Amino acid sequence: MIDFSPQLVQLLSIDGERIPRGDFDSWVEDLDGAALLALYRDMVVVRRIDTEATALQRQGELGLWPPLLGQEAAQIGSARALRSDDFIFPSYRENAVAYCRGVNVTDIVKVWRGNALSGWDPYTVNMATPAIIIGAQTLHATGWALGAQRDDVDSVAITYFGDGATSEGDVNEAMVFAASFQAPVVFFCQNNQWAISEPVGVQAHRNIADRAPGFGIPSLRIDGNDVIAVTAATRMALDRARTGGGPTFIEAVTYRMGPHTTADDPTRYRDPAELAEWKTRDPLLRLHRLLTSLGEITPEVEAATAALADAAAAELRAGCIGMPDPEPLSVFDHVYTTPNATLERQRADYAGYLTSFSAEHDIAEQNGKA
Amino acid sequence: MIKVFKLPDLGEGLTESEIVAWLVAPGDAVTLNQHIADVETAKAVVELPSPFAGVVRVLHQPAGVVVHVGEPIVSFDIGGADEPTDSTLKTDAVAPAPVEQREANLVGYGPAVERGGHPQRRTRTGAGDASVPAASVEPPAAASVAPPAAAPAPASVEPPVAAPARERPRSTPPVRALARDLGIDLNMVTGTGKDGLITRDDVRARITESLPAPDLHGAEPGATAAQPATSLGDDVRESRSPIKSLRKLTAAAMVQSAFTAPHVTEFLTIDVTPTVELLDSLRADRQFADAGIGILAVVAKALCLAVARTPSLNTRWDEPAGEIVQYHYVNLGVAAATPRGLLVPNIGDAERLDLRGLAAALAELTTAARAGTTTPAALSGGTITITNIGVFGIDAGTPILNPGEAAILAMGAIRSRPWEYRGEVALRKVLTLSLSFDHRLVDGEQGSRFLADIGTILADPARVLTMV
């Protein structure tokens, strides 16, 4: 395929060397050894949470899990660039973003265990719960950004979606409205190369980032496995939005190293050589190399990071397995914010239906029927 | 402590998976999340991480075997004391029902993949595009066996099509749950609901259909009684059987009744010689000779008459509604012992029947129960019950109320006993009645009067004249 826009922004090479770049460096000046180590720690912990959740699914404790393996830099770098009053509209794979937002690990897996329709209250962390409908969340983000604009606040909406979602009508509509109203929204696309089993080249003959200018939205194409480039690009886009510059589209080029979800088998459609190639571009590996050269990695730091990750995994496992089953009628609890007569009737009907399962009911019916 | 790991649903909606390889053997120590097996589902080969840290004790399934979701595949000893009962084992006895299997739902995969990433372009056919030779338009794919509608192939040419997967019987989840609890296979049940929907009553009807002939009057000795008294069993000292079917239903009913209705039981022993003489005279009467009127019919009639004088015995405590339901009719239940368990069919509007009608209804009920044709309608809606324990040679007991009813009358065996008669001791026909009633609905006064009324009628049938 012809590469129409070869200018991929990369600030950290695969070998762990910092690549200077005048127009981006100013956005990451404050990223010293300690700050980079904090980002590395986040990435190690979320990878551990992700593998533990995958194991829990294999052990029958979760119904499904969408692994983010390989996308840690894209998620951590962007999430850590946000302000607490910015609002996040994720797809279903942004579990590292939720972790950065302070969502409890047990709450993250609640919905995947089938114990709740959503795992957390969006307003306590300013992050919506996972959107399973592909791309729907981008409309919510544009809408929220229009609201922020009208409230005259400098908070920004950021929405996460994948390469496949850019072919959805919703995403295109969201971009049209964002451009028309110059809404303060950042479109953060993680191009992980695969829309389930469909390679990105099938639906995008040009780079994904090239789509946005057609809507009047400037775009950046960055190395999504480079946490420094991701941080720089996200900060730049957020600043544009905050200062009235309107929306920005970021294509973070990354790779989904695992399956689409635990119900998928990528070996059926993917060349193993491709995975091997991307393993050399692992986002953790290159940051580890940089930190080693900066003298930040010591045996103590390694041990402390591993302990942190293990503790998070243990907390996740205990929280997941110990989760109490929800009350069946709680399914009606958060459908509307105000009481609703139709829903109340459905709740009463369902309560009656549930009691019809019990042996007592059966006996009572058998004997009480006139 | 032994922990059993059962095969989970590794995809979305899968029913089975194949164990491709075990990477551990019994006796191996494993860590949490250690890769212990490769398992192939309809969607993927996945690595199975150990759910426990401990020692592998048993591999329940060898490699190469297709295992249903929910079946145990491996047990671990994780140290510590054994739990008294391992709840993870409780469903082991339930074998997955193959008829209920669903096709795996392959989320994320459409039809067979067309290689090359792009759909093959085909010539579009227009309605008037007759000039295009049919063969070049769109050669039917090899898999397509359906002939064009315009030129139907002879039936004999059509390749045999595999029988379509049989749809599972149509019903509703609560009824399926009931059938499962009772051990009824819905495939064996005929639905009478809308569009053949299987209803609760259909399931219950199936129970009665499958019952061996019960006996309302004579004792059913059963197979065990035929065994020599010295042998209670062969080699085993104990054996276990699952609690299910009618036994489970009866148990639930009895527990519910015994622990919700405060029971009071009263006894009355009476000289029923006049009733026995009355029955003899009826049998001698050409008009009644073939009516088959027995003591049970007289007790039933006496009960109906007594209910009219003390209606609170024929009521129901409706807790949810906070109301007492007074029945203005008597659906008279008669407890029937069957080898499979207790059934209480009832005679509808028994108070309207005369003695002959009651005797006929009792005979009909007996015949239906023997033939296994008791209808669900006859099993529901009882208001008060008689149980004839006399047929077992028993005198008295403390019967438990049929749930929802206010009273149950047990009639004992008629015995010849020395009894006071006209100031002297004489050999008389004596019977004991035992009446249990729900003290929420019935006070001692009403219960006693009701029982005394029945006793009075049996002791002196002519007294009915003072009651009606």
Side-chain angles (χ1 to χ4, degrees):
Chain A
M1 190 176 69
I2 303 158
D3 194 352
F4 288 94
S5 55
Q7 64 281 17
L8 183 82
V9 178
Q10 191 184 61
L11 304 181
L12 178 62
S13 76
I14 290 170
D15 299 327
E17 282 171 24
R18 184 71 169 76
I19 303 168
R21 196 171 151 152
D23 47 346
F24 283 89
D25 283 350
S26 62
W27 292 100
V28 286
E29 272 173 349
D30 61 320
L31 287 191
D32 56 10
L36 289 169
L37 184 61
L39 291 173
Y40 176 72
R41 210 179 279 131
D42 280 346
M43 287 160 67
V44 171
V45 171
V46 298
R47 179 169 287 190
R48 185 73 181 81
I49 289 172
D50 191 63
T51 51
E52 191 70 13
T54 301
L56 284 166
Q57 193 281 334
R58 299 292 184 230
Q59 292 156 1
E61 301 293 345
L62 293 179
L64 187 71
W65 179 253
L68 58 82
L69 187 69
Q71 300 178 219
E72 293 88 351
Q75 295 195 15
I76 296 291
S78 57
R80 287 299 185 199
L82 300 171
R83 263 181 10 197
S84 65
D85 60 321
D86 294 334
F87 208 106
I88 302 162
F89 294 88
S91 78
Y92 43 80
R93 207 185 296 282
E94 278 66 62
N95 295 304
V97 176
Y99 168 80
C100 290
R101 218 52 179 172
V103 178
N104 180 291
V105 286
T106 306
D107 287 343
I108 290 177
V109 296
K110 202 181 261 179
V111 75
W112 303 105
R113 192 174 165 84
N115 272 44
L117 297 179
S118 56
W120 63 84
D121 175 358
Y123 296 105
T124 60
V125 290
N126 278 357
M127 176 172 178
T129 50
I132 304 294
I133 308 299
I134 304 299
Q137 73 277 13
T138 57
L139 288 166
H140 309 157
T142 297
W144 191 94
L146 290 171
Q149 195 178 48
R150 276 154 182 70
D151 287 346
D152 200 23
V153 294
D154 68 349
S155 310
V156 177
I158 182 168
T159 178
Y160 290 87
F161 50 96
D163 43 296
T166 61
S167 299
E168 290 279 348
D170 283 6
V171 178
N172 289 268
E173 291 159 25
M175 290 201 281
V176 167
F177 274 78
S180 296
F181 292 93
Q182 289 295 289
V185 52
V186 176
F187 292 95
F188 194 96
C189 174
Q190 291 170 82
N191 173 4
N192 68 13
Q193 313 297 324
W194 290 92
I196 308 189
S197 55
E198 205 71 352
V200 65
V202 173
Q203 53 185 315
H205 281 243
R206 292 187 57 151
N207 288 323
I208 298 278
D210 294 345
R211 295 187 173 188
F215 293 93
I217 298 175
S219 66
L220 291 167
R221 185 162 192 263
I222 62 169
D223 182 342
N225 285 4
D226 167 0
V227 74
I228 300 174
V230 172
T231 303
T234 312
R235 284 176 171 181
M236 191 185 274
L238 288 168
D239 187 67
R240 281 192 75 243
R242 271 190 232 296
T243 54
T248 308
F249 186 103
I250 297 171
E251 178 193 358
V253 180
T254 179
Y255 192 72
R256 193 194 77 207
M257 288 166 78
H260 167 68
T261 68
T262 47
D264 173 45
D265 181 3
T267 63
R268 291 194 181 190
Y269 52 80
R270 205 157 74 173
D271 184 353
E274 184 185 282
L275 177 63
E277 167 74 18
W278 277 93
K279 274 188 175 166
T280 65
R281 306 177 195 165
D282 189 308
L284 273 72
L285 203 59
R286 68 175 86 175
L287 185 55
H288 187 270
R289 284 174 181 147
L290 174 65
L291 287 167
T292 304
S293 70
L294 292 175
E296 292 288 342
I297 297 288
T298 63
E300 292 76 34
V301 167
E302 298 261 42
T305 307
L308 201 64
D310 286 345
E315 184 192 345
L316 170 63
R317 173 169 289 271
C320 173
I321 293 173
M323 211 180 284
D325 285 343
E327 286 298 316
L329 291 175
S330 67
V331 73
F332 296 98
D333 284 351
H334 300 293
V335 181
Y336 291 102
T337 52
T338 51
N340 176 296
T342 305
L343 205 64
E344 288 306 314
R345 198 188 64 235
Q346 288 178 9
R347 182 202 295 268
D349 287 351
Y350 187 46
Y353 172 74
L354 289 174
T355 58
S356 73
F357 279 90
S358 68
E360 288 75 13
H361 168 87
D362 198 55
I363 305 293
E365 195 196 51
Q366 179 172 337
N367 292 289
K369 198 158 56 182
Chain B
M1 193 195 303
I2 303 295
K3 287 279 190 185
V4 178
F5 180 62
K6 291 181 286 187
L7 181 72
D9 174 3
L10 293 161
E12 293 171 270
L14 297 177
T15 55
E16 60 181 25
S17 300
E18 180 185 342
I19 297 174
V20 177
W22 280 111
L23 307 183
V24 292
D28 288 358
V30 293
T31 57
L32 181 68
N33 291 342
Q34 180 181 328
H35 178 187
I36 56 169
D38 288 326
V39 177
E40 180 164 20
T41 72
K43 298 177 179 181
V45 175
V46 300
E47 296 179 354
L48 196 67
S50 173
F52 303 108
V55 176
V56 175
R57 278 279 167 260
V58 185
L59 300 181
H60 297 284
Q61 303 287 349
V65 164
V66 173
V67 183
H68 287 286
V69 167
E71 283 187 80
I73 55 171
V74 54
S75 295
F76 302 88
D77 188 344
I78 61 162
D82 274 331
E83 291 168 3
T85 51
D86 190 345
S87 63
T88 60
L89 277 168
K90 73 181 175 196
T91 56
D92 289 356
V94 182
V99 287
E100 304 254 333
Q101 267 186 52
R102 289 189 291 148
E103 274 299 301
N105 168 24
L106 301 180
V107 174
Y109 301 112
V113 179
E114 289 178 273
R115 301 268 54 129
H118 294 278
Q120 213 59 45
R121 277 182 68 80
R122 294 186 183 124
T123 312
R124 187 170 291 190
T125 52
D129 206 2
S131 62
V132 181
S136 73
V137 173
E138 195 171 334
S144 169
V145 295
S156 59
V157 176
E158 213 164 350
V161 182
R166 192 166 131 72
E167 231 182 280
R168 64 175 186 166
R170 296 189 61 237
S171 191
T172 60
V175 174
R176 287 186 202 286
L178 174 70
R180 196 178 58 235
D181 288 348
L182 296 175
I184 300 284
D185 178 1
L186 285 182
N187 286 304
M188 309 303 289
V189 181
T190 309
T192 62
K194 189 168 183 292
D195 299 329
L197 194 76
I198 294 170
T199 66
R200 217 167 255 281
D201 285 345
D202 296 334
V203 171
R204 291 208 198 90
R206 178 67 198 169
I207 302 177
T208 49
E209 275 169 30
S210 52
L211 282 179
D215 192 335
L216 289 182
H217 298 294
E220 180 70 47
T224 48
Q227 285 190 346
T230 50
S231 169
L232 293 176
D234 293 334
D235 313 325
V236 287
R237 292 181 60 78
E238 293 176 1
S239 57
R240 287 169 167 261
S241 56
I243 299 166
K244 59 183 185 186
S245 302
L246 207 49
R247 175 50 45 202
K248 190 172 180 177
L249 201 61
T250 302
M254 290 302 108
V255 168
Q256 190 211 7
S257 177
F259 295 105
T260 51
H263 284 58
V264 177
T265 306
E266 294 186 337
F267 306 96
L268 178 64
T269 304
I270 36 174
D271 176 356
V272 296
T273 311
T275 295
V276 174
E277 288 168 359
L278 171 66
L279 292 172
D280 287 344
S281 74
L282 288 175
R283 269 192 283 273
D285 187 326
R286 269 170 51 202
Q287 250 191 301
F288 293 99
D290 58 352
I293 297 167
I295 183 75
L296 184 61
V298 178
V299 172
K301 188 67 209 172
L303 178 141
C304 290
L305 293 169
V307 159
R309 287 161 58 86
T310 317
S312 64
L313 276 292
N314 192 37
T315 55
R316 183 164 68 88
W317 184 269
D318 188 348
E319 181 79 39
E323 291 170 348
I324 291 169
V325 181
Q326 174 67 59
Y327 297 113
H328 301 291
Y329 57 87
V330 177
N331 283 354
L332 180 63
V334 180
T338 77
R340 272 189 55 192
L342 174 68
L343 286 181
V344 190
N346 66 73
I347 300 167
D349 295 333
E351 83 286 0
R352 295 188 186 173
L353 300 175
D354 58 14
L355 207 50
R356 180 199 290 274
L358 274 173
L362 284 165
E364 192 181 320
L365 189 137
T366 311
T367 312
R370 279 208 174 113
T373 57
T374 305
T375 62
L379 281 173
S380 62
T383 65
I384 190 166
T385 294
I386 292 178
T387 175
N388 185 0
I389 56 175
V391 298
F392 303 112
I394 302 301
D395 295 320
T398 56
I400 294 178
L401 294 164
N402 201 19
E405 297 178 11
I408 181 167
L409 179 72
M411 53 178 282
I414 298 173
R415 298 187 188 287
S416 294
R417 283 192 192 175
W419 202 257
E420 188 273 338
Y421 179 66
R422 291 182 180 170
E424 289 175 19
V425 173
L427 207 55
R428 303 289 290 178
K429 300 290 184 188
V430 175
L431 164 71
T432 300
L433 296 172
S434 312
L435 175 76
S436 291
F437 55 87
D438 183 344
H439 212 329
R440 292 176 304 179
L441 291 158
V442 181
D443 290 335
E445 183 196 347
Q446 286 85 31
S448 301
R449 192 170 66 209
F450 175 78
L451 185 57
D453 278 352
I454 297 172
T456 300
I457 294 169
L458 294 176
D460 187 359
R463 287 290 198 97
V464 170
L465 293 173
T466 67
M467 297 180 179
V468 293

